[in-house]
Each structure stands twice: as structure tokens, then as C-alpha cells.
Amino acid sequence: MTMHPKRDVVIVINPGSTSSKIALFKAGKMVAERTLNHSLAELSQFDAVIAQKDFRMQAIQEFLADQDFSASEVLAVAGRGGLLKPIPGGTYAVNEAMLDDLTAAKRNEHASNLGAGLAQQVADQYGVKAYVVDPPVVDELQPLARISGLKGIERHSAAHVLNQKAMARQVLATMGKTYATSRVIVAHIGGGLSIHAHENGRMIDGNNGIDGEGPYSPERAGSLPLVDFVAKALAERLTLDQVKKLLASQSGLRSYLNDISIKNIVARIAEGDETAKFYLDGMIYQIKKQIAEMAGVLNGQVDVIILTGGAAYATAVTAPLQHDLAWIAPVVVRPGEMEMQALYEGVMRVLNHEEPVRVYQSDASTIKGGTGR
């Protein structure tokens, strides 16, 4: 890794729905990390996510004041990317166009929309640049994957991009392979599920679980019988916002078992709850189908299958997948997420000239430094 004289501290900021994670990396290692929890009562005073910025910044500044480093050591600041226009993967410099789109919440409200603004404010404080890495809106689907089956409706990507790409790079490195020249399937299994085929550094196909594709998850519906679902929506006179909420956070295991904790559900199964076992098995069954579908996208030429996300800590979930999918490729389990490390590494790849910095523009069809869609 190229060393930058004197300046070797990178500040990483990752805002979540009820927390803000912040970390310091120095000379390649995380030297401090804190999760700053925000109560629902504290957040309820704000009528929009973007209005939380000053509140969250105060907590971040308190953390930074407790750390042992000088302003002259700061190299850059990395923030979690928000709901921008569809863009290729990579590391983006924070700019006005990005901040304007996030402030206006053009694509939706989400805590990640705060990441770029918080990073820019901290970067200004230290006189350095701010970046975001592999935002959740990264859309690298190949043209055939965009076809929905109904003219006027096009498939688009939404996934745990940051963690998927980071885990792929990490696992492939242990195999002596590079992400840019490999074929890999990554299944992020958490409250939501995203399972994608990665080919030569791009996520060329996969499910958009937020909008109702793929397997059901602890909170999401996944793919549904369309006529039956439309009939339900009409009969209950659901608004579009209600449909989105139902698909993204009120379905899956929550609807069947009134629980979204895999740990709790596994405990229920251990106590003889056959209903819990049936619906957890159903989720695993659908995950298996989606992974096999992605193997078809890659023409069966798969270097490795990676299982990651919070639910990957449960062997009740990963063991059957490892057993049943070994015929496709080796199945590696990497539970949890490595978002803070991934944000740091994305910035360093740019600063070490391993890949170009990308520049966000409101018109996503012209992204400097990338190929666009």
C-alpha cells in the first residue's frame, strides 16, 4: 500500500436508521470505532431524515474530540452513500450535485442520505476531500437483465452493494484471485436479502428485494403471485406507499411468525416449533433457488459462492445452503458485514491510484470516470 507522508488517518462515517457508526483508520488499521445510538424519541423531533444532520454531527464531533490524532494527519473522509441516481460501482467524490439530490431526497428518504453531507462537513473541517463508496443505488445490470416481461416496466438494481463487493474482494483475495477477473455469487442474508451474480467486477444481475423480487426474507415479501397480490391490493385499497411498506418491511417471516430475529426463530425450532421450521426452511429453499438462478446467469462458471449478512451467523441457515449448493462451486460463509472497512478501502484504492475517482452528476447517463449504464 502506498504511504502518504504524515497524512494517514481516514475518518469513516456510516449513518443508520437509529445509529451513526464512526471509525478512524490509521496506516491501514482501524484504531477506533464507536456506534452512536439515537433513540426514536430523539429522532422523532425531525420531520425529515436530512434534518437530522446537525444532531448527528454533534455526536460525531464528540467522538472525534475524544481521539488522539491531529488535523495534519487526516488524509480523507469516507461517508456511506445514499439514495442517488442509478450509477456504476466505485468511489465517488462528494460534490454539489450529489448533496443537492440527497438533500431533496429525490429517490426516497433513508438514513444513508446523511452520509455524504456529514462526510463533507467533517472533511471541510480538516481541509481534505470527502468520498462515498459503492452506494446502494449502484446499478450495473447487463441489458438482458433489465427486461421485465412487460413493456414500459424495466428491472433495476437495489442491493447491499457495499458489503457484497467488499466480501467478494476479501474472499477472492484468499483464493489468489481478483474481483476484476472473477465470477462470483454473493448472497447477503439479513433483514433483507440481495443475491447477485458478479462478473469481472460488475454486479450483472440479481434480485431487488425492496420492490418485491427474489426470496422472502425476515421482513420482505420477495416475488409474489402477481394476480393474487394485485387482487389483495385492490380489495384493501392500498396506496402505493402502503404497498411499498408491505413488500419491504411487513412481509416474509414477520408475516408468518410475527418475528424477524433468526436467532429467536432458531430457538423456537429447537423447542419443537414445526411452524417456525417450515417457514425458515421455505426461506432457505427460495435462497437456494435464487443462487442457482444466478449460476445460470454465469453459465455455470462460478469461482465461489459467498454467504454473508447477519443471518449468516446462523448455521441453521448456512449449513443446508453449503450442502445443497456445493455442486455449483465452493460455498464460503462470511457472516456480518464489513462496511466500515469497505468504505476505507474504497477511498484508499482511489488515493493509491488503483482505480479512478468517479464524479457524480444528476444526469446518471453521463458519469465521469465510468461507463454508465
Side-chain angles (χ1 to χ4, degrees):
M1 180 178 288
T2 303
M3 295 306 297
H4 298 262
K6 296 184 180 178
R7 294 187 179 270
D8 60 358
V9 169
V10 176
I11 300 168
V12 177
I13 300 169
N14 185 350
S17 57
T18 59
S19 68
S20 298
K21 294 181 180 179
I22 181 166
L24 291 183
F25 287 81
K26 183 177 175 63
K29 295 182 179 180
M30 184 188 291
V31 295
E33 181 182 25
R34 185 180 297 172
T35 297
L36 310 167
N37 294 307
H38 314 302
S39 70
L40 293 177
E42 289 174 318
L43 297 179
S44 64
Q45 63 184 303
F46 303 103
D47 57 4
V49 169
I50 203 67
Q52 299 172 14
K53 181 183 174 186
D54 290 344
F55 166 75
R56 298 210 188 208
M57 179 56 67
Q58 181 179 351
I60 290 169
Q61 293 292 0
E62 289 171 0
F63 167 82
L64 292 174
D66 290 340
Q67 307 310 311
D68 183 21
F69 71 96
S70 66
S72 63
E73 294 179 274
V74 178
L75 177 63
V77 182
R80 181 183 181 189
L83 301 184
L84 300 161
K85 299 281 187 177
I87 51 178
T91 297
Y92 288 77
V94 176
N95 61 14
E96 262 188 62
M98 180 184 296
L99 294 174
D100 287 347
D101 281 2
L102 294 173
T103 299
K106 287 186 175 180
R107 289 186 62 84
N108 215 335
E109 291 272 358
H110 194 275
S112 62
N113 289 353
L114 292 161
L118 291 170
Q120 185 62 62
Q121 187 168 333
V122 174
D124 288 344
Q125 176 181 334
Y126 293 105
V128 296
K129 291 185 177 180
Y131 303 88
V132 299
V133 183
D134 288 330
V137 294
V138 164
D139 190 338
E140 300 171 331
L141 297 186
Q142 58 187 347
L144 288 178
R146 298 191 183 281
I147 301 172
S148 71
L150 180 62
K151 187 176 181 179
I153 296 177
E154 184 178 86
R155 294 186 66 242
H156 59 275
S157 183
H160 302 85
V161 179
L162 184 62
N163 193 49
Q164 279 210 31
K165 285 179 174 273
M167 287 295 185
R169 288 187 177 97
Q170 183 188 72
V171 171
L172 288 165
T174 67
M175 300 170 62
K177 299 178 181 291
T178 67
Y179 180 59
T181 59
S182 298
R183 292 181 164 199
V184 57
I185 299 169
V186 184
H188 182 109
I189 312 170
L193 277 163
S194 60
I195 301 173
H196 281 64
H198 300 238
E199 182 178 47
N200 299 333
R202 296 176 65 82
M203 299 170 69
I204 63 170
D205 203 350
N207 69 300
N208 179 343
I210 292 177
D211 289 348
E213 290 184 350
Y216 66 83
S217 77
E219 295 185 276
R220 296 177 183 167
S223 301
L224 295 171
L226 281 178
V227 171
D228 290 344
F229 181 70
V230 171
K232 173 184 173 67
L234 292 174
E236 298 180 14
R237 298 183 179 182
L238 300 178
T239 65
L240 180 58
D241 284 344
Q242 288 172 325
V243 166
K244 289 180 177 180
K245 187 174 182 180
L246 179 60
L247 293 177
S249 64
Q250 296 179 338
S251 300
L253 294 177
R254 181 193 292 274
S255 69
Y256 291 121
L257 303 174
N258 196 31
D259 202 338
I260 62 172
S261 168
I262 296 297
K263 183 178 180 180
N264 290 347
I265 292 169
V266 170
R268 287 168 58 174
I269 294 170
E271 294 172 358
D273 188 333
E274 291 297 326
T275 300
K277 183 178 188 310
F278 182 72
Y279 288 111
L280 183 64
D281 285 349
M283 186 183 81
I284 295 167
Y285 175 80
Q286 292 194 3
I287 292 171
K288 180 169 62 174
K289 285 202 300 182
Q290 180 74 24
I291 290 174
E293 182 179 328
M294 292 300 101
V297 168
L298 296 174
N299 299 318
Q301 300 174 25
V302 183
D303 293 300
V304 65
I305 298 168
I306 302 168
L307 308 179
T308 185
Y313 283 108
T315 56
V317 173
T318 59
L321 292 172
Q322 285 184 292
H323 178 271
D324 295 347
L325 294 167
W327 61 275
I328 297 175
V331 183
V332 175
V333 179
R334 287 289 187 274
E337 50 82 15
M338 52 178 293
E339 289 185 345
M340 305 303 278
Q341 183 75 27
L343 288 168
Y344 169 73
E345 290 177 355
V347 168
M348 293 310 298
R349 285 194 297 273
V350 163
L351 296 181
N352 289 328
H353 308 293
E354 297 168 17
E355 63 181 52
V357 64
R358 294 182 182 270
V359 180
Y360 179 79
Q361 298 178 354
S362 290
D363 177 7
S365 64
T366 54
I367 300 291
K368 294 180 181 179
T371 57
R373 287 172 45 175

